[in-house]
Amino acid sequence: MHRTTLGDFELTVVSDGTYFLDGGAFFGVVPKAMWSKKVMPDEQNRIETGLNSLLVRTGEKNVLIETGIGNKLSERLVQIYTQPAKLLDNLHAAGVAPEEIDIVINTHLHFDHCGWNTVRRGDQVVATFPNAKYYVQKKEWEHGRLQLERDAISYMSPNYDPLLETGQMVLLNGDQEIVPGISVKVFPGHTANMQAVILENGGGGNGQKKACYISDLIPTSNHLDVTWVMAFDLYPLETIESRKKYYAWAIPERWLTVFTHDDATPWGYVERGERGRLALKEPTLGVARAPRPRSS
């Protein structure tokens, strides 16, 4: 289990498993001859892709960033993507029950990022994390409601509308601090209102002060180049500009970047190497240990 500290925060990658995406769509206009040097597709041109959520223990709150695919996909979509549904098991292995999650942050509302927001119980769809407040951008939710031809398949209202009905989901208007040390910032490109989650904590011991769950702005460590943009991105030119903006902050300040879809390398430090090429340096991992007791 990947675990590290950020000041007094404890960060743990908790996976919902892996699923399949078309390699060509995953790398957009990048030729297969180039991207296949980094990752090999199967005979159907599919790439096995991670579903990384991030558990943040602040000492006062348990915060879960992203909730994977979940277990509500239709039979047809299960055949296309698979449905690993491992998040709750991995949370349990990390020492956290669903009832102990205080905050859930969705970077956006595509089905592979918010599926475990809710579960089916009989004829009802209810919150998986009954004591949590959920956060997402209001304009992201409004876009999902439109069910446009380009991306209607990505938005499944049972993942979020029941939470609005119960008052558990909070719709944000732009950049905002959620709790001390955890804030969201909108980085347009993948969708117009996708938000990254920025973590900042200067206490504690290892000198690491900032981290960012960058979501689909940089889905894996194979997408570091600013022009390696997914075909799934609604606004690819804005993705490029948002990546430039992110690197201008993250590289000189040495932010730990967390990748949502990289099963092999869930996080690392983006650096500029020879001739300005971007590269990733993986951190020294903390040792998995029993969870700290929560503050009262």
Side-chain angles (χ1 to χ4, degrees):
M1 184 172 292
H2 292 79
R3 180 173 290 161
T4 190
T5 57
L6 183 80
D8 292 327
F9 291 176
E10 185 176 271
L11 280 53
T12 306
V13 175
V14 283
S15 173
D16 195 32
T18 60
Y19 73 131
F20 289 107
L21 288 176
D22 179 79
F26 203 39
F27 288 99
V29 299
V30 180
K32 184 177 180 180
M34 295 177 67
W35 62 254
S36 62
K37 293 177 181 178
K38 295 179 179 288
V39 56
M40 281 300 297
D42 67 10
E43 67 282 354
Q44 297 180 55
N45 205 46
R46 302 179 306 175
I47 294 172
E48 192 171 9
T49 306
L51 291 162
N52 298 326
S53 297
L54 186 67
L55 172 66
V56 184
R57 294 181 174 99
T58 72
E60 296 181 355
K61 301 287 185 183
N62 288 327
V63 180
L64 183 63
I65 302 169
E66 227 76 306
T67 66
I69 282 181
N71 64 353
K72 303 188 303 297
L73 288 186
S74 68
E75 223 174 274
R76 180 177 68 89
L77 292 180
V78 169
Q79 290 175 357
I80 295 171
Y81 298 110
T82 75
Q83 182 175 250
K86 294 182 178 180
L87 180 63
L88 298 191
D89 290 339
N90 285 323
L91 277 173
H92 177 77
V96 178
E99 295 77 16
E100 295 177 299
I101 297 295
D102 302 295
I103 291 169
V104 174
I105 303 174
N106 295 135
T107 63
H108 58 300
L109 293 176
H110 287 174
F111 74 91
D112 55 332
H113 291 256
C114 64
W116 274 116
N117 278 7
T118 60
V119 291
R120 294 192 187 277
R121 288 190 184 153
D123 295 333
Q124 292 186 309
V125 177
V126 300
T128 306
F129 308 101
N131 299 315
K133 281 286 186 184
Y134 295 69
Y135 293 85
V136 76
Q137 289 292 318
K138 180 180 180 181
K139 289 181 179 178
E140 171 71 10
W141 173 72
E142 290 175 342
H143 176 83
R145 291 183 70 193
L146 296 176
Q147 289 289 286
L148 301 175
E149 293 89 345
R150 173 67 171 80
D151 59 355
I153 191 173
S154 296
Y155 290 97
M156 302 177 183
S157 60
N159 288 334
Y160 40 85
D161 278 353
L163 303 171
L164 286 163
E165 293 167 9
T166 61
Q168 283 182 262
M169 178 163 272
V170 179
L171 299 178
L172 303 173
N173 289 294
D175 304 348
Q176 188 171 319
E177 184 175 66
I178 306 300
V179 295
I182 301 180
S183 60
V184 296
K185 184 171 184 61
V186 175
F187 282 97
H190 183 61
T191 71
N193 297 281
M194 193 206 78
Q195 60 186 10
V197 185
I198 298 173
L199 313 171
E200 183 172 8
N201 189 277
N206 67 358
Q208 193 166 264
K209 293 183 178 180
K210 281 191 177 182
C212 182
Y213 188 101
I214 198 61
S215 190
D216 279 338
L217 180 63
I218 312 168
T220 76
S221 59
N222 295 318
H223 290 82
L224 296 182
D225 190 296
V226 293
T227 62
W228 282 45
V229 174
M230 294 187 292
F232 303 116
D233 290 1
L234 294 182
Y235 308 98
L237 296 181
E238 290 192 46
T239 294
I240 291 171
E241 293 308 310
S242 288
R243 284 189 189 176
K244 289 178 182 177
K245 184 184 294 185
Y246 176 71
Y247 290 147
W249 295 323
I251 293 175
E253 294 185 10
R254 196 167 169 76
W255 293 13
L256 179 67
T257 300
V258 185
F259 302 109
T260 188
H261 289 311
D262 198 320
D263 184 53
T265 308
W267 53 24
Y269 303 101
V270 183
E271 299 178 342
R272 288 200 183 275
E274 295 181 6
R275 293 178 287 179
R277 289 182 178 174
L278 293 163
L280 192 76
K281 181 176 181 180
E282 294 185 50
T284 302
L285 296 179
V287 178
R289 60 186 184 274
R292 298 178 299 174
R294 294 179 56 171
S295 301
S296 56

XYZ file of all heavy atoms in Angstrom, residues 178-235:
434
model
N -11.551 23.687 1.550
C -12.566 22.785 2.102
C -12.397 22.664 3.614
O -13.354 22.829 4.382
C -12.481 21.397 1.439
C -12.566 21.518 -0.096
C -13.593 20.486 1.968
C -13.833 22.150 -0.614
N -11.199 22.338 4.060
C -10.808 22.361 5.471
C -9.393 22.924 5.491
O -8.729 22.979 4.447
C -10.847 20.954 6.123
C -12.269 20.410 6.173
C -9.924 19.984 5.404
N -8.907 23.357 6.649
C -7.545 23.897 6.679
C -6.528 22.943 6.061
O -6.427 21.776 6.422
C -7.286 24.090 8.186
C -8.647 24.368 8.756
C -9.575 23.472 7.971
N -5.803 23.445 5.069
C -4.781 22.658 4.394
C -5.246 21.873 3.191
O -4.427 21.280 2.488
N -6.542 21.854 2.918
C -7.080 21.125 1.763
C -7.986 22.064 0.976
O -9.017 22.518 1.491
C -7.846 19.863 2.175
C -6.939 18.921 2.966
C -8.406 19.153 0.946
C -7.615 17.641 3.428
N -7.607 22.361 -0.253
C -8.385 23.282 -1.083
C -8.534 22.706 -2.488
O -7.830 21.769 -2.878
C -7.705 24.654 -1.152
O -6.404 24.538 -1.722
N -9.474 23.264 -3.234
C -9.677 22.845 -4.623
C -9.407 24.021 -5.546
O -9.651 25.175 -5.192
C -11.108 22.295 -4.852
C -11.326 21.036 -4.028
C -12.178 23.345 -4.532
N -8.894 23.695 -6.733
C -8.611 24.715 -7.745
C -9.043 24.185 -9.102
O -8.700 23.055 -9.456
C -7.120 25.070 -7.762
C -6.783 26.193 -8.734
C -5.363 26.665 -8.562
C -5.091 27.856 -9.496
N -5.976 29.020 -9.215
N -9.784 24.983 -9.833
C -10.293 24.567 -11.138
C -9.183 24.638 -12.182
O -8.492 25.646 -12.313
C -11.488 25.445 -11.566
C -11.933 25.086 -12.981
C -12.646 25.284 -10.579
N -8.992 23.529 -12.894
C -8.055 23.441 -14.014
C -8.844 22.971 -15.232
O -9.035 21.771 -15.439
C -6.939 22.444 -13.714
C -5.852 22.952 -12.805
C -5.879 22.659 -11.452
C -4.811 23.714 -13.303
C -4.879 23.105 -10.608
C -3.798 24.170 -12.466
C -3.836 23.866 -11.113
N -9.335 23.873 -16.074
C -10.143 23.468 -17.225
C -9.332 22.720 -18.272
O -8.120 22.903 -18.396
C -10.665 24.799 -17.772
C -9.673 25.817 -17.299
C -9.171 25.328 -15.973
N -10.022 21.866 -19.019
C -9.393 21.118 -20.100
C -10.088 19.796 -20.299
O -10.761 19.587 -21.299
N -9.935 18.901 -19.336
C -10.629 17.615 -19.429
C -12.136 17.859 -19.452
O -12.862 17.330 -20.299
C -10.232 16.723 -18.262
C -10.830 15.364 -18.310
N -10.595 14.482 -19.349
C -11.680 14.720 -17.462
C -11.260 13.368 -19.128
N -11.929 13.478 -18.001
N -12.620 18.615 -18.489
C -13.938 19.238 -18.557
C -13.717 20.720 -18.261
O -12.631 21.124 -17.847
C -14.940 18.634 -17.542
O -14.565 19.041 -16.214
C -14.968 17.113 -17.621
N -14.749 21.510 -18.443
C -14.586 22.948 -18.229
C -14.372 23.288 -16.761
O -13.788 24.326 -16.434
C -15.809 23.694 -18.763
N -14.841 22.418 -15.857
C -14.825 22.749 -14.438
C -14.222 21.644 -13.571
O -14.556 21.532 -12.394
C -16.252 23.059 -13.980
C -16.818 24.274 -14.674
O -16.521 25.404 -14.324
N -17.622 24.044 -15.705
N -13.313 20.873 -14.149
C -12.616 19.880 -13.341
C -11.742 20.583 -12.310
O -11.078 21.578 -12.609
C -11.744 19.000 -14.231
C -11.217 17.751 -13.547
S -9.673 17.148 -14.275
C -8.517 18.310 -13.557
N -11.761 20.077 -11.074
C -10.964 20.682 -10.016
C -9.887 19.707 -9.543
O -10.116 18.500 -9.443
C -11.841 21.101 -8.837
C -12.614 19.980 -8.172
C -13.575 20.474 -7.115
O -13.822 21.671 -6.967
N -14.146 19.563 -6.346
N -8.709 20.237 -9.281
C -7.656 19.475 -8.613
C -7.753 19.764 -7.127
O -8.345 20.760 -6.700
C -6.290 19.881 -9.156
N -7.175 18.884 -6.318
C -7.202 19.040 -4.866
C -5.775 19.284 -4.391
O -4.886 18.458 -4.618
C -7.795 17.807 -4.165
C -7.907 18.057 -2.668
C -9.161 17.465 -4.766
N -5.563 20.427 -3.761
C -4.233 20.824 -3.307
C -4.150 20.651 -1.796
O -5.019 21.133 -1.054
C -3.929 22.277 -3.721
C -3.945 22.387 -5.251
C -2.565 22.716 -3.169
C -3.830 23.800 -5.773
N -3.107 19.946 -1.367
C -2.885 19.668 0.048
C -1.636 20.416 0.494
O -0.596 20.362 -0.171
C -2.691 18.169 0.275
C -3.706 17.234 -0.399
C -3.261 15.787 -0.261
C -5.095 17.419 0.198
N -1.742 21.102 1.622
C -0.602 21.864 2.124
C -0.557 21.742 3.643
O -1.530 22.057 4.331
C -0.702 23.331 1.720
C 0.473 24.166 2.153
C 0.461 25.572 1.573
O -0.559 25.939 0.943
O 1.466 26.291 1.746
N 0.591 21.264 4.147
C 0.745 21.127 5.588
C 2.223 21.178 5.921
O 2.990 20.348 5.453
C 0.124 19.817 6.078
C 0.060 19.740 7.588
O 1.044 19.385 8.226
N -1.083 20.059 8.156
N 2.611 22.157 6.706
C 4.029 22.373 6.984
C 4.526 21.726 8.242
O 5.706 21.808 8.567
N 3.639 21.056 9.006
C 4.093 20.434 10.248
C 4.812 19.127 9.992
O 4.937 18.658 8.868
N 5.301 18.517 11.031
C 5.871 17.189 10.925
C 7.244 17.167 10.313
O 7.909 18.180 10.184
N 7.660 15.983 9.840
C 9.062 15.736 9.719
C 9.750 15.582 8.400
O 10.930 15.719 8.381
N 9.151 15.243 7.264
C 9.961 14.838 6.105
C 10.222 15.979 5.122
O 10.796 15.770 4.068
C 9.318 13.651 5.369
C 7.999 14.013 4.698
O 7.528 15.147 4.812
N 7.410 13.059 4.016
N 9.802 17.184 5.430
C 10.075 18.326 4.575
C 9.127 18.481 3.407
O 9.153 19.496 2.702
N 8.291 17.502 3.151
C 7.305 17.554 2.072
C 6.136 18.420 2.526
O 5.518 18.138 3.542
C 6.846 16.131 1.788
C 6.063 15.944 0.520
C 5.964 14.470 0.192
O 6.742 13.945 -0.573
N 5.018 13.775 0.798
N 5.832 19.478 1.775
C 4.848 20.445 2.260
C 3.598 20.552 1.393
O 2.553 20.967 1.876
C 5.494 21.831 2.390
C 6.557 21.900 3.480
C 7.109 23.298 3.631
C 8.145 23.359 4.751
N 8.686 24.732 4.903
N 3.704 20.218 0.108
C 2.545 20.355 -0.782
C 2.385 19.107 -1.636
O 3.366 18.497 -2.071
C 2.684 21.579 -1.689
C 2.347 22.899 -1.018
C 2.251 24.015 -2.032
C 1.841 25.320 -1.371
N 1.703 26.426 -2.356
N 1.134 18.765 -1.883
C 0.796 17.673 -2.797
C -0.442 18.097 -3.575
O -1.191 18.974 -3.144
C 0.538 16.375 -2.039
N -0.645 17.460 -4.716
C -1.819 17.786 -5.525
C -2.353 16.529 -6.193
O -1.621 15.822 -6.901
C -1.484 18.823 -6.593
S -2.912 19.310 -7.597
N -3.629 16.245 -5.939
C -4.343 15.211 -6.695
C -4.810 15.893 -7.970
O -5.791 16.644 -7.983
C -5.515 14.675 -5.877
C -6.201 13.475 -6.502
C -5.929 12.195 -6.040
C -7.107 13.617 -7.547
C -6.541 11.080 -6.608
C -7.716 12.518 -8.124
C -7.438 11.254 -7.649
O -8.045 10.162 -8.220
N -4.070 15.658 -9.058
C -4.243 16.443 -10.273
C -5.351 15.917 -11.176
O -5.765 16.571 -12.133
C -2.905 16.549 -11.027
C -2.925 17.698 -12.043
C -2.537 15.218 -11.669
C -3.146 19.054 -11.418
N -5.852 14.716 -10.894
C -6.959 14.119 -11.626
C -6.633 13.993 -13.109
O -5.493 13.764 -13.485
C -8.255 14.894 -11.383
O -9.371 14.187 -11.904
N -7.623 14.170 -13.981
C -7.439 13.894 -15.402
C -6.728 15.016 -16.154
O -6.613 14.938 -17.378
C -8.785 13.593 -16.059
C -9.220 12.154 -15.833
O -8.344 11.314 -15.550
O -10.421 11.863 -15.936
N -6.247 16.032 -15.455
C -5.369 16.983 -16.137
C -4.085 16.270 -16.571
O -3.574 16.490 -17.670
C -5.040 18.172 -15.228
C -4.133 19.224 -15.868
C -4.793 19.869 -17.083
C -3.732 20.285 -14.855
N -3.561 15.401 -15.699
C -2.395 14.559 -16.023
C -2.750 13.169 -15.515
O -2.424 12.808 -14.387
C -1.116 15.080 -15.339
C -0.954 16.587 -15.536
C 0.114 14.330 -15.871
C 0.118 17.202 -14.656
N -3.425 12.355 -16.302
C -3.996 11.116 -15.768
C -2.981 10.085 -15.308
O -3.249 9.333 -14.374
C -4.847 10.578 -16.925
C -4.295 11.236 -18.147
C -3.822 12.577 -17.703
N -1.809 10.021 -15.971
C -0.780 9.065 -15.566
C 0.589 9.714 -15.730
O 0.739 10.783 -16.340
C -0.798 7.774 -16.420
O -0.214 8.054 -17.706
C -2.208 7.240 -16.599
N 1.600 9.026 -15.236
C 2.969 9.516 -15.394
C 3.434 9.453 -16.845
O 4.475 10.023 -17.189
C 3.924 8.718 -14.504
O 3.891 7.340 -14.835
N 2.684 8.782 -17.707
C 2.997 8.753 -19.140
C 2.419 9.938 -19.897
O 2.603 10.039 -21.113
C 2.472 7.452 -19.757
C 3.178 6.228 -19.214
O 4.393 6.229 -19.039
N 2.426 5.175 -18.926
N 1.708 10.810 -19.204
C 1.082 11.975 -19.830
C 1.731 13.289 -19.394
O 1.098 14.339 -19.433
C -0.412 12.016 -19.490
C -1.230 10.945 -20.130
N -1.321 9.672 -19.617
C -2.016 10.967 -21.248
C -2.132 8.952 -20.384
N -2.559 9.696 -21.375
N 2.990 13.264 -18.983
C 3.630 14.482 -18.480
C 3.806 15.543 -19.563
O 3.650 16.737 -19.292
C 4.994 14.152 -17.865
C 5.012 13.255 -16.631
C 6.444 13.086 -16.137
C 4.124 13.805 -15.520
N 4.151 15.128 -20.771
C 4.344 16.097 -21.858
C 3.072 16.912 -22.038
O 1.972 16.368 -22.085
C 4.689 15.356 -23.145
C 5.141 16.297 -24.255
O 4.321 17.137 -24.695
O 6.294 16.186 -24.690
N 3.213 18.209 -22.171
C 2.022 19.077 -22.216
C 1.134 18.780 -23.417
O -0.066 19.079 -23.390
C 2.417 20.579 -22.212
C 3.049 20.954 -20.893
C 3.317 20.936 -23.381
N 1.684 18.188 -24.469
C 0.877 17.929 -25.673
C 0.294 16.520 -25.703
O -0.469 16.196 -26.609
C 1.710 18.149 -26.941
O 2.806 17.218 -26.957
C 2.234 19.573 -27.013
N 0.629 15.665 -24.732
C 0.080 14.305 -24.704
C -1.276 14.336 -24.013
O -1.401 14.013 -22.830
C 1.059 13.358 -24.000
C 2.213 12.959 -24.873
C 2.956 13.771 -25.673
C 2.742 11.638 -25.041
N 3.928 13.053 -26.327
C 3.821 11.742 -25.960
C 2.434 10.398 -24.501
C 4.578 10.636 -26.349
C 3.191 9.289 -24.891
C 4.246 9.407 -25.802
N -2.256 14.726 -24.784
C -3.589 15.020 -24.271
C -4.562 13.917 -24.695
O -4.531 13.458 -25.839
C -4.060 16.397 -24.800
C -5.492 16.677 -24.410
C -3.130 17.496 -24.277
N -5.447 13.525 -23.796
C -6.407 12.457 -24.097
C -7.479 12.906 -25.090
O -7.862 14.082 -25.116
C -7.110 12.000 -22.813
C -6.226 11.337 -21.797
S -7.185 10.644 -20.413
C -7.803 12.126 -19.622
N -7.985 11.950 -25.872
C -9.131 12.238 -26.737
C -10.389 12.505 -25.915
O -11.342 13.104 -26.415
C -9.367 11.076 -27.701
N -10.399 12.081 -24.649
C -11.546 12.319 -23.775
C -11.657 13.783 -23.348
O -12.702 14.206 -22.855
C -11.444 11.454 -22.509
C -11.348 9.983 -22.769
C -10.210 9.270 -22.406
C -12.391 9.290 -23.373
C -10.117 7.909 -22.629
C -12.306 7.922 -23.602
C -11.164 7.231 -23.234
N -10.587 14.558 -23.493
C -10.609 15.941 -23.043
C -11.520 16.778 -23.941
O -11.347 16.806 -25.163
C -9.206 16.530 -23.059
C -8.312 15.936 -21.984
O -8.784 15.055 -21.246
O -7.154 16.367 -21.876
N -12.464 17.479 -23.317
C -13.382 18.310 -24.091
C -12.695 19.536 -24.669
O -13.065 20.031 -25.729
C -14.554 18.743 -23.211
C -15.508 17.646 -22.734
C -16.634 18.264 -21.913
C -16.076 16.855 -23.906
N -11.674 20.039 -23.964
C -11.007 21.279 -24.362
C -9.495 21.051 -24.351
O -8.786 21.515 -23.442
C -11.397 22.413 -23.404
C -12.888 22.557 -23.250
C -13.552 21.998 -22.155
C -13.655 23.223 -24.209
C -14.928 22.108 -22.015
C -15.025 23.335 -24.081
C -15.655 22.779 -22.979
O -17.021 22.881 -22.837
